[in-house]
Amino acid sequence: MEKAAFYILSFVIIVSSLFMITRKNPVHSVLWMLLTFFSVAGIFIQLNAEFIAATQVIVYAGAILVLYLFVVMLLNPKTHGFAKIPYRYGMTILVVIVFVLQIFMAASMSKVLGIKGVITSEKMAEIGNVKLFGAELFNTYIVPFEIASILLLVAMIGAIVLALRK
Amino acid sequence: MLLEHYLILSAVVFGIGMTGVLIQRNLILIFMSLELMLNAVNINLAAYSKYLSQISGQVFIIFIMSVAAAEAAVGLALIVSLYRNKQTINSDEFKILKW
């Protein structure tokens, strides 16, 4: 059951992301990206990260994607096709080589290094993902959390300043 | 499921995102491919977080998401102001900062 869910989700992720980068119409690309994000949320649920899955749906599929859709519809919706560069085939081969090497490295060299923590799947099922996550975020990572909020404030001001019509 | 399965999935999605950044000419689609690469990184962090029995990885996913949201807002504002100046979002047209 778990295996079947994983394979179905990965198939949907890979196919929809391939469709996303090859569509001519940017609106279609955005909609394929929505499917990718929902499937990634499914993968997060498989990995005991329910809160992250909910955040993925709310933030990525809800906020970021609507922002992209607004800009796509606001600007010129016609596409510009793919890069027409003379060394395109060389670049394609390079990308494919890097890509295959990545997969082989991930498959062969992956070891679970580092210190094993105490939050096993059983403990996660007992206490609950959100409770453990909140305790970790607000006890250990409180300063990075504040910095992230300042980052969002700076990004908001920057976006307003950049998009303001003079 | 083994850790390798998730790592391979993440590598494939990252490669697709990288290919999209390299072959697209529409600036919005280039930004969308960047988001795809960030998502691949998130899958990696969640997988290691599970298989190391720690929850720090999930906290870092939240930080990556906030960085992605900030990047999307600033990037799209830049695209809108570029479009106002040049009336296009084709990345080949923007050569003023090339070298």
Side-chain angles (χ1 to χ4, degrees):
Chain A
M1 184 63 201
E2 197 194 347
K3 259 198 160 78
F6 174 77
Y7 284 120
I8 291 169
L9 284 171
S10 340
F11 179 76
V12 173
I13 288 174
I14 290 168
V15 169
S16 60
S17 52
L18 274 176
F19 271 120
M20 184 202 113
I21 64 163
T22 51
R23 289 306 90 187
K24 286 244 161 59
N25 189 341
V27 177
H28 294 175
S29 282
V30 173
L31 295 178
W32 282 111
M33 199 185 178
L34 181 67
L35 185 57
T36 313
F37 283 165
F38 269 107
S39 317
V40 172
I43 290 282
F44 284 148
I45 288 175
Q46 271 207 324
L47 288 168
N48 291 340
E50 292 90 4
F51 181 73
I52 303 293
T55 319
Q56 168 92 6
V57 171
I58 294 169
V59 172
Y60 267 114
I64 294 182
L65 220 61
V66 170
L67 197 62
Y68 276 99
L69 209 55
F70 264 120
V71 175
V72 165
M73 289 177 169
L74 200 65
L75 301 186
N76 201 356
K78 77 169 166 39
T79 183
H80 300 288
F82 303 124
K84 285 196 179 58
I85 36 181
Y87 46 88
R88 182 174 67 175
Y89 294 107
M91 190 178 249
T92 312
I93 291 167
L94 185 75
V95 168
V96 170
I97 287 171
V98 169
F99 179 36
V100 172
L101 272 180
Q102 259 186 341
I103 294 174
F104 274 106
M105 281 171 75
S108 62
M109 288 165 59
S110 67
K111 289 193 190 74
V112 181
L113 299 173
I115 308 147
K116 275 254 182 195
V118 289
I119 300 163
T120 52
S121 296
E122 291 77 38
K123 196 176 174 193
M124 192 86 89
E126 186 194 326
I127 301 179
N129 169 257
V130 181
K131 204 167 184 179
L132 284 166
F133 177 83
E136 180 81 7
L137 179 62
F138 291 113
N139 288 326
T140 318
Y141 292 100
I142 182 71
V143 178
F145 177 76
E146 300 292 343
I147 293 173
S149 66
I150 293 173
L151 172 76
L152 285 173
L153 179 69
V154 169
M156 190 173 77
I157 296 170
I160 293 170
V161 167
L162 281 171
L164 200 66
R165 195 182 288 275
K166 298 207 175 53
Chain B
M1 300 304 298
L2 292 171
L3 176 64
E4 281 85 347
H5 291 91
Y6 293 102
L7 295 187
I8 290 170
L9 172 68
S10 161
V12 169
V13 177
F14 193 88
I16 292 171
M18 192 168 62
T19 316
V21 170
L22 288 175
I23 68 169
Q24 284 289 345
R25 284 202 297 171
N26 190 333
L27 275 179
I28 296 175
L29 289 177
I30 291 176
F31 266 89
M32 278 163 54
S33 305
L34 277 176
E35 299 285 334
L36 198 64
M37 287 161 79
L38 287 173
N39 249 293
V41 174
N42 284 351
I43 294 175
N44 236 340
L45 281 173
Y48 269 110
S49 171
K50 181 181 176 187
Y51 286 92
L52 280 175
S53 304
Q54 290 181 353
I55 207 158
S56 316
Q58 299 186 12
V59 178
F60 277 91
I61 292 178
I62 289 292
F63 294 144
I64 288 184
M65 276 182 183
S66 62
V67 168
E71 176 241 318
V74 174
L76 290 174
L78 273 173
I79 290 175
V80 169
S81 73
L82 278 174
Y83 182 77
R84 277 203 200 117
N85 285 328
K86 288 218 164 195
Q87 305 300 320
T88 180
I89 47 168
N90 186 347
S91 58
D92 292 350
E93 301 290 325
F94 300 113
K95 292 176 178 165
I96 41 176
L97 266 182
K98 200 166 182 182
W99 298 111

